[in-house]
């Protein structure tokens, strides 16, 4: 995991090499100070040599300045390295998520992805900074201070032989338990984020169902749950403090007791005793720091796993190694594509690995270029699933989908999606102006092309009725438009692409019938060369199609023109009957 994560150090690797040197110089200057102090006490003060005291004092000031200098430099580079690492990691995660197929996205919840990109990366970034700052410093401090203390007085160092193991073991016992408690904290944050996110996205629904109190209660529970879990972990980890103070003060006491005796008998200078105590403090503090690093690393491990899980996700829909049709190739013949679509014995289930039920079974049909194919059937019968297979938003489980006689899996994805314009059932607009949103379809479109697409989608009139016209700013998700207006903008956006295949998944459900008829009419007039797939609920929306496919429970129940189906298909007849004005449905 560390190897995978460290790949994202990128250009900041040089700091990681530089930092140990800075740490080493910092530690050396800092540890020399007590040594000089002991000289002042034992030589300067004992001999009342003001000149000596001033000279050594000056050295101490210089060393302190050096320690500060190296310390600050160390801080600067560790901050640079860790912030840079965090930025690289976030970017890698974000571009990974951009590559995700629909199937990949289904696996992670949005909230969890957000937590992983923010909180988990922050965790790793902070741990990395602490590790850079402390993991080198503490052992260096420990070893050098130990060496210096030992050189001052070997016998007195025996106290360390007791204090260090005592501190290590007790700190280890506390922290290893605390780490177990920290692991669920991350999941609780996920949960909290999920509730916040769902609530914010659906705030209008929450209000219309007067569910505010219920939502507040739900949030409070998750918040308390998170807080309690975090407090449990922290209150155990915090025990470290008194234990450390106890051991440190105990050690100081023992040193003063035994060392005091030595000073009394002239075996040890008073200054040496003072610097010995400083070193012991440094040593015990380093032990403490090392254990803190272990705690942080253990906490970060959970975050690291969650991050690596995203980075390692196998993206199941990718360009084939040798695409038969690519953006560059086939330019002469297949520039725009003809738009023939064929399904050959297609079966599909969402959970490819699991035993889940087939959502589509044995679908076979062919649509000629320029045809209008309508798909009708009850909700949940697999209409959306079927059309999603054409631009390869999902891959078939069995069989094959062919566009212009080439399996969609043999296309370069960019090429395939360039050929197809999709208006998804759950479509979204983005904040920005209306023009910006429509230009998603084709960045190079002229104003004239934009206007034509909007006229065809019956969006031109309402756009020009806005004071700012095409420059009207849309709120997040297009909140300041009506449902039908949003749908028409989405259609215009797809039409601007001038795709060979246009897919409209229930895209006029919120548009009134008269306007819908006009949109349909402009399809037949202006999109003669485009193969159009229309999913609709109303018979009126599909009756003029060249072919109508009736789906029932993932299977094709009937296929043909309006007249043919009226004569042969029970389901179609039933739908037709139920939608006829003024006719009462029996029973
Ligand atoms: N992302 C998904 N993951 C798992 N199951 C899904 C997903 N999307 C749809 N389904 C299931 O597949 C079936 C067909 O859905 P769908 O194609 O959306 O139906 P339709 O568009 O005809 O209403 C439904 O039973 C639905 O529960
Ligand atoms: Mg649908």
């Amino acid at each position: 995991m560390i190897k995978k994560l460290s790949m994202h150090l990128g250009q900041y690797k040089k700091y990681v090499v530089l930092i140990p040197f800075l740490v080493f110089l910092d530690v050396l200057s800092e540890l020399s100070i007590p040594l000089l102090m002991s000289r002042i006490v034992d030589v300067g003060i004992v001999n009342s040599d003001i000149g000596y005291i001033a000279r050594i004092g000056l050295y101490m000031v210089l060393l302190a300045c050096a320690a500060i200098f190296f310390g600050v430099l160390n801080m600067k580079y560790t901050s640079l390295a860790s912030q840079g690492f965090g930025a690289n990691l976030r970017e890698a995660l974000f571009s990974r998520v951009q590559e995700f197929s629909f199937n990949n996205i289904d696996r992670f919840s949005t909230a969890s992805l957000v937590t992983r990109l923010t909180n988990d990366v922050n965790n790793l970034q902070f741990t990395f900074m602490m590790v850079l700052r402390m993991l080198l410093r503490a052992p260096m401090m420990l070893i050098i201070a130990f060496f210096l203390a030992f050189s001052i007085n070997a016998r007195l160092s025996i106290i360390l032989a007791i204090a260090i193991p005592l501190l290590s073991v007790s700190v280890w016992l506390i922290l290893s338990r605390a780490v177990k408690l920290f692991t669920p904290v991350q999941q609780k944050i996920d949960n909290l984020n999920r509730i916040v996110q769902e609530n914010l996205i659906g705030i209008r629904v929450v209000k219309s169902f007067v569910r505010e109190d219920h939502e507040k209660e739900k949030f409070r529970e998750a918040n308390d749950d998170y807080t309690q879990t975090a407090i449990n972990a922290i209150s155990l980890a915090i025990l470290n403090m008194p234990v450390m103070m106890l051991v440190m003060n105990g050690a100081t006491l023992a040193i003063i007791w035994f060392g005091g005796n030595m000073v009394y008998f002239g075996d040890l200078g008073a200054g040496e005793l003072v610097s010995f105590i400083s070193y012991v403090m440094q040593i015990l503090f380093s032990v403490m720091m090392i254990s803190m690093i272990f705690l942080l690393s253990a906490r970060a491990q959970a975050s690291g796993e969650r991050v690596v899980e995203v980075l390692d996700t196998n993206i199941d829909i990718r360009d084939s190694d040798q695409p038969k049709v690519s953006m560059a190739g086939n330019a002469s013949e297949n520039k725009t594509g003809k738009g023939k679509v064929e399904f050959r014995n297609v079966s599909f289930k969402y959970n490819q690995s699991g035993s889940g039920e087939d959502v589509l079974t044995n679908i076979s049909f062919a649509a000629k270029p320029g045809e209008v194919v309508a798909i009708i059937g009850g909700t949940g019968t697999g209409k959306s699933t079927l059309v999603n297979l054409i631009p390869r938003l999902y891959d078939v489980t069995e069989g094959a989908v062919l566009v212009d006689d080439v399996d969609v899996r043999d296309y370069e994805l960019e090429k395939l999606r360039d050929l197809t314009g999709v208006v998804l059932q759950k479509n979204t607009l983005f904040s920005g102006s209306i023009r910006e949103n429509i230009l998603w379809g084709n960045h190079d479109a002229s104003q004239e092309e934009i206007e034509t697409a909007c006229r065809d989608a019956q969006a031109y009139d309402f756009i020009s009725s806005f004071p700012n016209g095409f420059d009207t700013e849309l709120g997040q998700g297009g909140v300041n438009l009506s449902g039908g207006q949003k749908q028409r903008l989405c259609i215009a956006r797809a039409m601007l692409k001038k795709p060979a295949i246009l897919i409209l998944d229930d895209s006029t459900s919120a548009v009134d019938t008269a306007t819908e008829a006009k949109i349909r009419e402009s399809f037949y007039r202006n999109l003669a060369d485009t193969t159009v797939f229309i999913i609709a609920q109303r018979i009126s929306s599909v009756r003029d199609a060249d072919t109508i496919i009736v789906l029932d429970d993932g299977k094709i129940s009937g296929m043909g023109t309006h007249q043919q189906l009226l004569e042969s298909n029970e389901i179609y007849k039933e739908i037709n009957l139920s939608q006829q004005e003024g006719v009462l449905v029996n029973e």
Side-chain angles (χ1 to χ4, degrees), residues 268-490:
L268 188 73
E272 284 179 326
L273 180 62
V274 172
S275 52
F276 191 89
I277 291 176
S278 312
Y279 289 137
V280 169
M281 288 301 118
Q282 299 275 26
I283 291 169
L284 295 183
F285 191 70
S286 301
V287 172
M288 183 70 193
M289 271 300 151
I290 293 172
S291 56
M292 282 300 284
I293 295 287
F294 276 113
L295 171 76
L296 277 177
S297 312
R299 267 187 73 180
Q301 196 180 341
S303 292
E305 273 161 16
R306 288 158 53 91
V307 165
V308 168
E309 194 186 352
V310 176
L311 292 175
D312 273 359
T313 297
N314 181 29
I315 292 171
D316 52 359
I317 296 190
R318 284 186 168 284
D319 286 335
S320 72
D321 296 334
Q322 285 158 324
K324 288 189 185 147
V325 185
S326 62
M327 287 302 272
N330 303 61
S332 54
E333 174 210 352
N334 232 338
K335 182 85 173 83
T336 45
K338 294 188 227 41
K340 183 177 169 197
V341 177
E342 191 181 347
F343 275 56
R344 278 191 198 152
N345 291 321
V346 168
S347 295
F348 177 81
K349 54 180 156 197
Y350 276 101
N351 192 351
Q352 302 271 0
S353 52
S355 53
E357 259 180 62
D358 277 0
V359 174
L360 294 175
T361 329
N362 239 329
I363 304 281
S364 293
F365 70 86
K368 291 198 269 304
E371 258 192 342
V372 175
V373 179
I375 303 171
I376 199 164
T379 48
T381 50
K383 304 183 298 294
S384 299
T385 310
L386 189 149
V387 292
N388 283 347
L389 296 177
I390 302 173
R392 223 183 145 204
L393 299 177
Y394 290 92
D395 264 341
V396 296
T397 312
E398 274 170 54
V401 177
L402 294 92
V403 169
D404 290 334
D405 297 315
V406 178
D407 193 316
V408 288
R409 284 166 293 192
D410 289 331
Y411 272 85
E412 190 187 355
L413 273 177
E414 200 184 339
K415 177 72 187 173
L416 179 67
R417 297 199 178 147
D418 207 45
L419 286 176
T420 45
V422 194
V423 183
L424 293 174
Q425 189 164 22
K426 296 174 203 146
N427 227 319
T428 338
L429 295 165
F430 289 78
S431 28
S433 69
I434 289 184
R435 177 180 287 107
E436 278 163 11
N437 268 283
I438 294 176
L439 278 175
W440 278 53
N442 174 7
H443 282 282
D444 307 318
S446 64
Q447 179 64 22
E448 206 188 329
E449 287 173 298
I450 296 179
E451 285 179 15
T452 312
C454 289
R455 281 210 178 85
D456 284 346
Q458 301 299 317
Y460 187 79
D461 288 347
F462 79 80
I463 295 174
S464 26
S465 76
F466 292 148
N468 292 329
F470 282 90
D471 293 315
T472 305
E473 288 291 320
L474 297 186
Q476 190 187 348
V479 282
N480 43 353
L481 295 179
S482 80
Q485 287 172 337
K486 265 190 270 187
Q487 285 188 332
R488 278 178 278 168
L489 277 191
C490 290

Side-chain angles (χ1 to χ4, degrees), residues 212-227:
E212 290 100 326
D213 285 339
H214 177 266
E215 287 292 307
K216 271 190 224 161
E217 187 51 37
K218 203 162 86 180
F219 178 79
R220 188 177 304 125
E221 265 171 36
N223 201 9
D224 287 350
D225 191 22
Y226 162 58
T227 312

Side-chain angles (χ1 to χ4, degrees), residues 376-378 550-552 557 568-576:
I376 199 164
V550 184
L551 268 192
D552 183 31
S557 136
S568 63
N569 191 282
E570 281 305 316
I571 297 176
Y572 194 78
K573 258 190 262 182
E574 212 174 289
I575 300 174
N576 184 49

Side-chain angles (χ1 to χ4, degrees), residues 103-115:
N103 201 7
N104 292 136
I105 295 169
D106 291 347
R107 252 193 63 210
F108 294 96
S109 70
T110 317
S112 170
L113 282 176
V114 170
T115 318

